[in-house]
Amino acid sequence: MIKLLLCLLSAAATAVIVLQLRSQHVELEHQNTELHDRIKNQQAKLWNQQLQIAVYTAPNAISQTVGNQHLKMVPQTPLVGQASWIAPHKNPDAE
């Protein structure tokens, strides 16, 4: 009789522990899903910002802005010869 009672109590304790673990598992899955949704939203927001930056810094947009504002833009340093990234010996800054 005592053995049967002990088996029933241990089975009940095991069942409670398994239910607790399943509950934690479901809760962690829910938190994981929420975090993934937040990451996706932040990534979409970042992509939109990168797209806006690309649109506003496109060469045609910059030249249009400079043209509309009548800005007199000149290089900070005069160009000496023809600077080229292919031939660094022609570029004094490449030394």
Side-chain angles (χ1 to χ4, degrees):
M1 185 69 165
I2 292 176
K3 287 182 182 179
L4 182 63
L5 185 61
L6 190 60
C7 284
L8 284 174
L9 287 176
S10 64
T14 305
V16 168
I17 291 172
V18 168
L19 285 175
Q20 176 68 23
L21 288 174
R22 285 185 181 178
S23 173
Q24 286 180 356
H25 181 33
V26 169
E27 184 179 338
L28 287 174
E29 282 182 354
H30 177 68
Q31 290 176 358
N32 190 21
T33 304
E34 284 182 346
L35 285 174
H36 277 276
D37 289 342
R38 285 178 46 196
I39 289 170
K40 286 180 184 178
N41 290 338
Q42 289 293 327
Q43 192 172 21
K45 185 177 178 181
L46 177 64
W47 285 345
N48 286 335
Q49 289 174 348
Q50 288 174 340
L51 177 63
Q52 289 176 351
I53 289 170
V55 167
Y56 289 128
T57 58
N60 58 349
I62 292 175
S63 60
Q64 181 182 5
T65 302
V66 170
N68 290 343
Q69 299 295 327
H70 303 295
L71 298 174
K72 306 273 188 216
M73 299 185 75
V74 295
Q76 292 181 351
T77 58
L79 294 176
V80 179
Q82 193 69 311
S84 172
W85 65 274
I86 296 174
H89 62 279
K90 293 182 180 178
N91 188 353
D93 294 332
E95 293 177 359

